[in-house]
């Protein structure tokens, strides 16, 4: 503030009135009223350059007290460091009360559909285990302590429960995640979950955001409309020439009028109102766009300066090449970049002023008197600036057509042109201005400050004061900015639609823009009818509109968030049923919580798997609510990407993620899960046959390490190698996305396929055990070695039967397991006897090397496996799967 400083350091002057920017004050008690002040002193004598001084600091009593309201300008944001002084404040909203937290929901633990299906099958196997044990005890005749025998049978047949299934599946899921991240065709993809990769192969609904997901969130200035004349990308050079001419005229007038360094150009005399020339209208429009924004130009510090965090201004490069713009919205940056391209450049901005550079290199300074930021309620932003050279005060405003149409003077072209631009997929902004006299502004400022100081209904009072200015504004222009589609969005959406996936677009944009993007991205085909749901506010209106929609068939639906809310309130079931029949649905003006609500509705009403994809913080709740959430790393940061189950860099990668990796993950896990169950069932069947032969005695067939080794080193590698299997090559899966439809039916893992594997296990277990007992009646002491060898060979052959595409690691796994088994025969000879030493049986190496042993084991193995090979051949011959028709 203004103050008197008494000191001898100001060239002998005593009572200089100076403006002091105080950075640190410290009272020195010993010196009474003396202060030590470190400050920059801005004096009326430029030659004074005083950086620190001491003096008596007295305040003028005549200065009025300054009252200022608390607003966003006085707010210290999170992680702010107070460099000097103290802060007195009150924290109003924290934690759960902040807007960002209130807009998000608690993430749920996601469980894949395949895991739920396997859980059902495991429950069925448990019941089978109990039933089999009870049957054995019953056949035994409940003799002696039968309950003890019951528990012994439960333990003997416990291999029916596939305990190793969980381990194998989790290892498989980790492998699928690794494969996805290592796929060079979808670089930058990150798998943030190890529980649901199979979900990618079961999706029916895809809910997608628009801005930044289907589009790049990179704006390009496409159209400037002045009412009578419209400029497109091919006529921007005309605007540039108009700007160059108008500013060269202004500066020639200035230099002619005055020779002073700072010409004070008076406002032009009020001539009779005549139609303005196109050149002057362009000049006004471009100047308005260059001034009405919240953009700040940033100059990077020079490279090569020692690693200091703060640089003096001298170390900064203020050239055009080094300038970048920062703003809260990419639209704003695009507009400022466009004004730069036509000749009017924003070169500097601080809290109180901004500088524009004209095509001739002259700097124009404008003081920022007031700024009214954009809000989602007002849908517009305004700024009041004072031209330094002329002293003119101008109020500029820009905003959405719905908000601006009532503010600007009457015209007959605004609504029509906004509709035209929206149909082209452009985001529109209406720009207007109003010139203010000094008296008008002073009156406004006093009312505005008074409104800001009010304790009750401050926002309403402030808005009312601002609205008093927003009347009969002069309409300057209409701008059209295009948000380009991401690369390969059209073929990707086409592929997803052919794969039977229904796509819903949920966006916060206006209806016309959303509809246009839906058409241009081929989310809705050109030939398809579109039913635009009229805005409804009551139950009766919703009923009428639903009836009108019901009469249409195979047409896309476009609905706004407000209408959707009304329909869901009164006719939730009917609306969802009708919407699910649509090939595509577009919901515009959606809030983040609404997006999540729609996801939950689809899950509840259809029971199908849903996937949500988005790129911003407003998509997080939708991503977390969906069965499978995919985040895109975009310009809006990594909020969606970090909250999602899968993170991708471009929308087009979703095609390969679902068609190839989703397919493989589901098919492989289904095969792996059923094979692990088969592995347990077959050995339990052999145990049941063995116990039956020995008068239902609860004696184990295989001892200690054989049972451990069976599920680990003897069969684990071949069984786990199923995670490398694929029925279709990736190129084929992408070329024929229709193959994906079969996956959503869940036929790879069902009670039908499970029962087939149970029958196979019972058949093979019975053949292996009875075969060993029949063929080796004379060498019965070796029954363990015989049956176990046949069992291992059968398992290895069954893996080979299940595999559809061989991988070199599968062959290695098969021979490695066989080698481990043969090697263990020599070391584990005491384990191959029945009941260990009780039968006096040890493994006879001479016996297992005989031709008799080899041919008999081979015969048992062939009888157990050959019929299955024949059945598979006949099935492929007479009822081939859809993919085999394509590959043949």
């Amino acid at each position: 503030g203004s103050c008197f400083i008494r000191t001898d350091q100001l060239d002998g002057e005593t009572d200089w009135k100076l403006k002091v920017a105080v950075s640190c004050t410290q009272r020195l008690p010993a010196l009474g009223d003396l202060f030590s002040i470190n400050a920059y002193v801005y004096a009326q004598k430029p030659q004074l350059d005083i950086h620190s001084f001491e003096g008596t600091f007295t305040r003028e009593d005549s200065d009025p007290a300054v009252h200022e309201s608390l607003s966003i300008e006085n707010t210290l944001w999170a992680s702010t460091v107070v460099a000097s002084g103290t802060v007195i404040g009150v924290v109003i909203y924290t934690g759960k009360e902040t807007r960002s937290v209130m807009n998000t929901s608690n993430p749920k633990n996601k469980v894949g559909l395949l895991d739920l299906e396997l859980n059902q099958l495991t429950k069925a196997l448990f019941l089978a285990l109990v039933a089999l044990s009870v049957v054995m005890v019953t056949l035994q005749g409940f003799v002696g302590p039968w309950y003890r025998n019951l528990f012994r049978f439960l333990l003997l047949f416990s291999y029916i429960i596939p305990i190793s299934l969980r381990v194998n599946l989790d290892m498989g899921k980790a492998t699928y995640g690794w494969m996805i991240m290592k796929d060079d065709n979808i670089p930058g993809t990150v798998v943030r979950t190890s529980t649901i990769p199979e979900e990618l192969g079961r999706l029916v609904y895809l809910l997608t955001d628009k801005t930044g997901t289907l589009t790049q969130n990179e704006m390009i200035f496409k159209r400037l409309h002045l009412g009578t004349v419209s400029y497109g990308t091919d006529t921007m050079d005309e605007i540039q020439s108009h700007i160059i001419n108008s500013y060269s005229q202004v500066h020639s007038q200035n230099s002619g009028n005055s020779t002073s360094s700072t010409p004070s150009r008076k406002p032009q005399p009020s001539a009779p109102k005549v139609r303005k020339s196109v050149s002057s209208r362009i000049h006004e429009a471009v100047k308005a766009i260059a001034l009405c924004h919240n953009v700040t130009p940033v100059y990077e510090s020079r490279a090569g300066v020692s690693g200091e965090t703060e640089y003096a201004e001298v170390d900064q490069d203020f050239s055009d090449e080094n300038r970048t713009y920062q703003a809260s919205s990419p639209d704003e940056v695009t507009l400022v970049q466009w004004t730069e391209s036509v000749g009017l450049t924003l070169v500097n901005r601080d809290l109180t002023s901004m500088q524009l550079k004209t095509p001739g290199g002259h700097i124009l300074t404008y003081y920022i008197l007031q700024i009214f930021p954009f809000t989602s309620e007002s849908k517009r932003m305004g700024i009041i600036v004072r031209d330094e050279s002329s002293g003119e005060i101008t109020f500029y405003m820009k905003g959405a057509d719905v908000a601006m149409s009532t503010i600007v003077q009457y015209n007959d072209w605004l609504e029509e042109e906004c509709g035209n631009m929206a149909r082209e997929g452009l985001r529109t902004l209406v720009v207007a201005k109003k010139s203010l006299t000094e008296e008008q502004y002073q009156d406004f400022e006093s009312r505005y400050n008074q409104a800001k100081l009010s304790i009750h209904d401050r926002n309403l009072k402030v808005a009312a004061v601002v609205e008093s200015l927003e009347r009969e504004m002069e309409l300057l222009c209409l701008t059209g900015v295009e948000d380009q589609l991401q690369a390969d969005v059209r073929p990707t959406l086409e592929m997803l639609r052919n794969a039977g996936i229904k796509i819903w677009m949920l966006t916060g944009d206006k209806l016309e823009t959303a509809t246009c993007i839906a058409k241009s991205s081929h989310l809705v085909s050109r030939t398809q009818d579109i039913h635009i749901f009229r805005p409804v506010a009551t139950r009766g209106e919703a009923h009428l509109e639903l009836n009108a929609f019901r009469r249409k068939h195979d047409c896309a639906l476009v609905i706004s968030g407000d209408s959707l809310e009304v329909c869901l309130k009164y006719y939730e079931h009917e609306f969802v049923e009708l919407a699910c029949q649509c090939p595509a649905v577009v919901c515009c003006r959606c809030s983040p919580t609404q997006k999540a609500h729609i996801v939950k509705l689809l899950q509840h009403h259809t029971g199908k798997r849903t996937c949500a994809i988005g790129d911003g913080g407003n998509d997080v709740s939708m991503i977390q609510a969906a069965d499978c959430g995919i985040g895109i790393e975009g310009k809006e940061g990594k909020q969606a990407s970090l909250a999602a189950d899968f993170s991708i860099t471009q929308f087009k990668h979703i095609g390969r993620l679902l068609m190839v990796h989703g397919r493989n993950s589901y098919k492989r896990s289904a095969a792996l899960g059923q094979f692990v169950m088969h592995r347990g069932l077959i050995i339990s069947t052999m145990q049941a046959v063995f116990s039956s032969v020995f008068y239902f005695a609860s004696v184990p067939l295989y001892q200690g390490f054989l049972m451990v080794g069976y599920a680990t080193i003897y069969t684990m590698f071949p069984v786990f190698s199923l995670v490398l299997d694929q029925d279709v090559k990736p190129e084929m899966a992408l070329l024929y996305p229709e193959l994906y439809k079969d996956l959503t039916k869940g036929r790879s893992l069902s009670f039908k396929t499970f029962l087939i594997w149970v029958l196979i296990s019972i058949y093979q277990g019975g053949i292996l055990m009875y075969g060993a007992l029949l063929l080796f009646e004379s060498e019965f002491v070796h029954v363990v070695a015989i049956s176990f060898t046949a069992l291992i060979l059968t398992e290895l052959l069954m893996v080979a039967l299940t595999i559809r595409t061989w991988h070199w690691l599968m062959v290695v796994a098969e021979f490695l397991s066989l080698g481990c088994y043969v090697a263990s025969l020599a070391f584990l000879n005491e384990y191959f006897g029945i009941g260990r030493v009780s039968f006096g049986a040890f493994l006879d190496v001479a016996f297992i090397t005989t031709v008799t042993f080899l041919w008999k084991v081979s015969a048992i193995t062939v009888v157990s496996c050959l019929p299955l090979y024949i059945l598979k051949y006949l099935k492929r011959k007479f009822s081939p799967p859809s993919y085999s028709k394509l590959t043949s």
Side-chain angles (χ1 to χ4, degrees), residues 238-292:
E238 288 184 36
I239 296 177
Q240 193 171 6
S241 60
H242 280 302
I243 293 294
I244 292 168
N245 291 338
S246 60
Y247 275 105
S248 61
Q249 286 172 16
V250 167
H251 286 291
S252 62
Q253 284 173 11
N254 285 351
S255 55
N257 290 344
S258 172
T259 54
S260 65
S261 58
T262 54
S264 70
R265 188 163 59 85
K266 295 285 178 195
Q268 291 173 354
S270 55
K273 280 202 172 181
V274 290
R275 196 174 185 86
K276 288 184 178 177
S277 67
V278 172
S279 182
S280 67
R281 286 164 65 201
I282 288 172
H283 174 95
E284 282 295 334
V286 173
K287 187 167 79 169
I289 295 168
L291 289 170
C292 187

Side-chain angles (χ1 to χ4, degrees), residues 597-647:
H597 183 49
I598 293 167
V599 173
K600 288 170 185 166
L601 269 178
L602 284 175
Q603 290 170 337
H604 176 67
H605 282 275
T606 65
K608 307 288 186 189
R609 308 316 270 176
T610 58
C611 172
I613 178 167
D615 73 313
N618 60 339
D619 303 314
V620 169
S621 44
M622 167 174 81
I623 285 169
Q624 289 177 340
D627 297 302
C628 177
I630 300 176
I632 295 182
E633 287 184 23
K635 288 188 168 51
E636 291 190 33
K638 290 193 172 185
Q639 268 183 294
S641 158
L642 292 171
D645 307 304
F646 302 90
S647 167

Side-chain angles (χ1 to χ4, degrees), residues 150-170:
L150 177 67
F151 278 103
R152 283 175 71 99
F153 279 122
L154 283 170
L155 290 172
L156 284 177
F157 299 139
S158 64
Y159 283 90
I160 289 177
I161 305 291
I163 297 168
S164 61
L165 175 62
R166 197 69 266 157
V167 179
N168 278 285
L169 267 183
D170 286 347

Side-chain angles (χ1 to χ4, degrees), residues 632-882:
I632 295 182
E633 287 184 23
K635 288 188 168 51
E636 291 190 33
K638 290 193 172 185
Q639 268 183 294
S641 158
L642 292 171
D645 307 304
F646 302 90
S647 167
I648 58 179
T649 53
Q650 292 181 52
F651 183 81
K652 66 178 180 181
H653 293 167
I654 196 175
R656 188 176 179 87
L657 195 64
L658 302 191
M659 300 302 125
V660 178
H661 293 289
R663 177 185 191 82
N664 288 343
S665 300
Y666 171 56
K667 288 266 186 182
R668 290 163 176 174
S669 284
L672 181 66
Q674 291 178 121
F675 209 96
V676 171
M677 289 178 180
H678 155 78
R679 190 171 65 183
L681 279 165
I682 191 171
I683 203 164
S684 297
T685 305
M686 292 173 74
Q687 176 69 55
V689 172
F690 176 77
S691 293
S692 304
V693 169
F694 280 92
Y695 307 103
F696 309 104
S698 50
V699 177
L701 171 59
Y702 301 126
Q703 301 298 325
F705 191 81
L706 290 187
M707 294 305 288
V708 175
Y710 171 66
T712 54
I713 58 169
Y714 298 150
T715 60
M716 194 190 85
F717 299 116
V719 171
F720 189 69
S721 69
L722 289 171
V723 301
L724 301 170
D725 189 23
Q726 57 181 34
D727 56 349
V728 175
K729 286 190 172 139
E731 301 75 35
M732 196 66 69
L734 291 167
L735 189 61
Y736 297 103
E738 289 79 7
L739 290 170
Y740 190 88
K741 288 180 186 174
D742 287 346
L743 304 181
T744 55
K745 294 169 185 169
R747 288 176 179 167
S748 298
L749 177 69
S750 61
F751 270 102
K752 179 186 172 183
T753 58
F754 170 67
L755 286 171
I756 290 169
W757 276 103
V758 169
L759 293 173
I760 289 170
S761 305
I762 293 170
Y763 165 75
Q764 288 184 327
I767 291 292
L768 291 173
M769 204 61 232
Y770 278 117
L773 294 172
L774 288 172
L775 293 179
F776 293 93
E777 205 168 343
S778 54
E779 299 98 357
F780 187 70
V781 287
H782 299 296
V783 75
V784 173
I786 297 154
S787 61
F788 199 76
T789 306
L791 173 65
I792 297 298
L793 289 173
T794 298
E795 281 297 292
L796 297 181
L797 286 170
M798 283 302 290
V799 169
L801 176 67
T802 309
I803 288 168
R804 289 161 290 214
T805 309
W806 282 89
H807 189 282
W808 65 271
L809 280 171
M810 295 172 171
V811 181
V812 170
E814 291 269 316
F815 284 106
L816 181 68
S817 294
L818 189 60
C820 287
Y821 177 66
V822 172
S824 68
L825 285 173
F827 298 109
L828 301 172
N829 52 11
E830 75 270 19
Y831 281 105
F832 285 96
I834 302 174
R836 292 193 185 166
V837 197
S838 58
F839 282 79
F842 290 94
L843 184 70
D844 187 350
V845 177
F847 166 69
I848 64 165
T849 51
T850 58
V851 176
T852 313
F853 174 82
L854 293 174
W855 84 256
K856 286 183 176 180
V857 166
S858 302
I860 295 170
T861 308
V862 166
V863 172
S864 74
C865 291
L866 189 62
L868 298 173
Y869 273 82
I870 294 167
L871 284 171
K872 183 177 181 181
Y873 172 77
L874 292 172
K875 188 174 185 296
R876 284 186 74 93
K877 185 92 175 154
F878 296 109
S879 177
S882 52

Side-chain angles (χ1 to χ4, degrees), residues 79-241:
S79 306
T80 304
V81 176
V82 181
S84 62
T86 54
V87 176
I88 298 170
V90 55
V91 180
I92 303 164
Y93 298 117
T94 61
K96 293 179 180 177
E97 292 185 349
T98 55
R99 182 178 172 181
S100 56
V101 176
M102 288 169 80
N103 235 341
T104 56
S105 51
N106 290 327
K108 61 177 182 180
N109 288 329
K110 297 186 182 181
V111 182
L113 187 58
L114 184 108
D115 287 334
L116 296 174
E117 289 168 346
L118 285 171
N119 285 351
Q120 295 297 327
L121 299 182
T122 308
K123 289 171 188 172
L125 288 172
F126 174 74
L127 293 175
L129 162 67
V130 174
L132 183 59
S133 303
V134 170
V135 166
M136 281 293 182
V137 172
T138 307
L139 292 172
Q140 206 179 30
F142 291 102
V143 291
W146 61 268
Y147 48 86
R148 189 188 300 163
N149 288 337
L150 177 67
F151 278 103
R152 283 175 71 99
F153 279 122
L154 283 170
L155 290 172
L156 284 177
F157 299 139
S158 64
Y159 283 90
I160 289 177
I161 305 291
I163 297 168
S164 61
L165 175 62
R166 197 69 266 157
V167 179
N168 278 285
L169 267 183
D170 286 347
M171 284 169 61
K173 289 174 181 189
T175 308
Y176 308 144
W178 182 82
M179 287 174 177
I180 291 169
M181 289 196 277
K182 288 293 175 188
D183 190 342
D184 294 333
N185 294 296
I186 47 173
T189 303
V190 181
V191 179
R192 302 189 191 278
T193 178
S194 60
T195 52
I196 55 167
E198 301 90 5
E199 290 293 273
L200 293 170
R202 310 288 297 276
L203 302 175
V204 178
Y205 289 96
L206 176 71
L207 300 101
T208 172
D209 180 37
K210 181 183 78 69
T211 309
T213 305
L214 297 180
T215 61
Q216 295 177 14
N217 209 5
E218 276 185 12
M219 311 299 171
I220 296 172
F221 194 93
K222 285 280 186 181
R223 190 71 54 81
L224 180 74
H225 205 293
L226 300 171
T228 52
V229 59
S230 174
Y231 293 94
T233 44
D234 49 347
T235 51
M236 291 300 173
D237 51 341
E238 288 184 36
I239 296 177
Q240 193 171 6
S241 60

